[in-house]
């Protein structure tokens, strides 16, 4: 396989193996963690959102681009934020691009112009975060921005999730679909609404956290007695906490889908954490054999779990049934 595709396969095999191993362990030892899928999802989202804003080099470029699209934030604003946090400066051309957007309000354009002028004349680029005026330039209110973001993401994802919920019902449950068409359509519609609302809620939570955090930091900037509190608010862990809180949006999604969504983000979160740990010398390099080793370990766990296939997800069971037959 190609190296990039090999990594994807290895990651999926490994997390599916982990899933089966955990399910077997929890069943054998009568251990149950309430909302474990939401916990895994939230922890992974914390790492992923931290990586997106501060360490985009630790997640795949395609995934980074997808988050950028889903966030509905101008790309230049994200670039400004990364530059401010790391270097304390930003490229004026990026801020100028945000100012010149047709949807930028007059009030936000004025504030951004003042920020740009201050940087040009005094060298003061402001705090180590992009101003809210550049995050949602089409809306003046930070209070209403999460609502707007929810509606935007909901509309964007509705046709996509609609196809994901409707097509399987027609293709794989054809007999039931023709016997009870309205019931199946109703389920697909409700599933589409929940899934779209889930992602919209995720983005809205992070937007609300981002604006609240940095508005508070701006307010505290003029109070020297609260310097330590302000430093805490704008510190790296805050971006991780924002992702953690956003992960709670999984409660909006149907319970049967939560595990699959957790398994979807787990490889990305683990990859980002591993790359960061390796950069700090906390993890070893795997050379050219890392993907093969990871896939082998994952396949081993999957096949052990296949002795009791109920411990594996339905998707993995169906694939294995096609490849090796029922156990």
């Amino acid at each position: 396989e190609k190296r990039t595709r090999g990594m994807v396969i290895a990651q999926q095999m490994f997390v599916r193996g982990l899933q089966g191993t955990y399910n077997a362990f929890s069943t054998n030892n009568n251990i149950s963690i309430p909302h474990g899928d939401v916990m895994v999802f939230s922890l992974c989202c914390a790492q992923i959102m931290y990586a997106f804003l501060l360490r985009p080099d630790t997640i795949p470029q395609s995934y980074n681009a997808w988050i950028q699209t889903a966030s509905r934030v101008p790309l230049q604003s994200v670039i400004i934020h990364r530059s401010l946090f790391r270097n304390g400066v930003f490229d004026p051309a990026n801020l100028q691009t945000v100012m010149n957007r047709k949807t930028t309000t007059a009030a936000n354009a004025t504030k951004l112009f003042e920020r740009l002028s201050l940087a040009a004349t005094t060298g003061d680029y402001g705090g180590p975060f992009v101003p809210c005026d550049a995050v949602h330039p089409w809306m003046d209110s930070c209070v209403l921005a999460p609502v707007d973001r929810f509606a935007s993401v909901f509309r964007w994802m509705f046709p996509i999730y609609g196809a994901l919920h409707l097509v399987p019902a027609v293709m794989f449950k054809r007999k039931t679909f023709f016997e009870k068409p309205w019931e199946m359509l109703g389920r697909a519609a409700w599933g589409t609404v929940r899934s779209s609302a889930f992602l919209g809620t995720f983005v809205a939570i992070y937007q609300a956290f981002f604006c609240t955090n940095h508005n508070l930091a701006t307010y505290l900037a003029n109070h020297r007695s609260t310097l330590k509190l302000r430093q805490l608010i704008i510190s790296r862990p805050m971006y991780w906490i924002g992702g953690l809180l956003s992960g709670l949006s999984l409660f909006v999604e149907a319970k049967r889908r939560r595990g699959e969504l957790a398994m979807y983000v787990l490889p990305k979160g683990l990859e980002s954490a591993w790359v960061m740990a390796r950069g700090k010398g906390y993890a070893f390099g795997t050379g050219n054999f890392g993907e093969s080793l990871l896939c082998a370990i994952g396949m081993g766990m999957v096949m052990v779990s296949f002795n009791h296939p109920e411990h594996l997800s339905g998707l993995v069971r169906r694939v294995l049934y096609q490849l090796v037959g029922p156990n």
Side-chain angles (χ1 to χ4, degrees):
E1 282 287 354
K2 295 181 180 179
R3 184 176 179 84
T4 53
R5 182 168 170 78
M7 174 58 76
V8 173
I9 295 173
Q11 288 176 342
Q12 284 298 322
M13 191 64 67
F14 184 71
V15 298
R16 296 300 177 175
L18 284 178
Q19 183 183 28
T21 301
Y22 168 75
N23 288 339
F25 176 81
S26 61
T27 300
N28 294 336
N29 294 277
N30 197 27
I31 297 174
S32 178
I33 301 178
H35 307 300
D37 43 14
V38 178
M39 292 173 61
V40 171
F41 183 81
S42 295
L43 288 170
C44 292
C45 287
Q47 179 63 34
I48 290 169
M49 292 308 298
Y50 176 92
F52 170 69
L53 284 173
L54 301 182
R55 288 293 306 275
D57 56 301
T58 64
I59 54 178
Q61 181 58 37
S62 58
Y63 198 57
N64 187 69
W66 187 88
I67 297 174
Q68 176 64 54
T69 302
S71 71
R72 323 309 275 178
V73 177
L75 175 60
Q76 293 78 13
S77 300
V78 177
I79 294 174
I80 290 171
H81 179 80
R82 292 168 181 163
S83 181
L84 278 171
F85 193 90
R86 284 188 167 276
N87 308 313
V89 298
F90 60 82
D91 184 351
N94 286 323
L95 195 60
Q96 189 71 49
T97 300
V98 178
M99 286 173 52
N100 293 338
R101 288 168 60 100
K102 293 182 179 179
T103 55
T104 301
T105 66
N108 282 337
T110 300
K111 293 177 182 178
L112 294 176
F113 179 77
E114 292 173 354
R115 181 77 174 260
L116 192 62
S117 300
L118 187 65
T121 56
T122 67
D124 182 4
Y125 288 84
F129 49 85
V130 64
C132 293
D133 318 301
V135 175
H136 46 82
W138 57 86
M139 179 166 286
D140 297 331
S141 172
C142 286
V143 175
L144 296 178
V147 179
D148 172 78
R149 204 59 53 90
F150 173 87
S152 176
V153 174
F154 185 94
R155 289 194 303 268
W156 172 55
M157 290 304 300
F158 193 86
I160 299 173
Y161 275 125
L164 290 176
H165 282 277
L166 182 60
V167 171
V170 176
M171 295 294 294
F172 304 118
K173 299 180 180 179
R174 189 172 303 175
K175 182 178 179 180
T176 305
F177 183 82
F178 285 110
E179 290 177 351
K180 303 176 181 178
W182 293 113
E183 180 180 338
M184 297 295 287
L185 286 172
R187 289 181 181 178
W190 177 237
T192 300
V193 170
R194 291 190 68 171
S195 295
S196 302
F198 145 68
L199 192 59
T201 302
F202 183 100
V203 176
I205 290 175
Y206 203 91
Q207 176 66 70
F209 180 84
F210 189 94
C211 285
T212 301
N213 212 38
H214 295 127
N215 280 326
L216 182 58
T218 302
Y219 172 77
L220 295 175
N222 298 322
H223 298 74
R224 298 185 62 181
S225 60
T226 58
L227 179 60
K228 290 185 178 180
L229 177 59
R230 183 175 185 272
Q231 290 176 338
L232 175 63
I233 290 173
I234 60 178
S235 64
R236 289 176 178 270
M238 286 296 108
Y239 297 97
W240 199 88
I241 292 174
L244 187 72
L245 294 175
S246 296
L248 298 178
S249 62
L250 191 62
F251 280 116
V252 177
E253 184 58 277
K255 185 173 179 58
R256 61 182 178 81
R257 284 178 47 82
R258 294 174 189 171
E260 286 301 314
L261 288 168
M263 290 301 101
Y264 173 73
V265 298
L266 182 57
K268 311 301 182 185
L270 289 177
E271 179 181 6
S272 175
W274 178 268
V275 173
M276 289 186 190
R278 191 173 60 190
K280 293 182 177 295
Y282 300 146
F284 56 88
T286 55
N288 296 324
F289 304 100
E291 296 89 349
S292 300
L293 179 61
L294 187 67
C295 188
I297 295 173
M299 179 62 80
M301 290 190 292
V302 167
M303 295 312 295
V304 169
S305 301
F306 192 51
N307 290 320
H308 300 279
E310 67 275 7
H311 295 149
L312 296 169
S313 69
L315 175 64
V316 176
R317 286 201 304 270
R318 286 192 292 271
V319 172
L320 288 177
Y321 287 163
Q322 294 296 321
L323 294 176
V324 300
N327 185 25

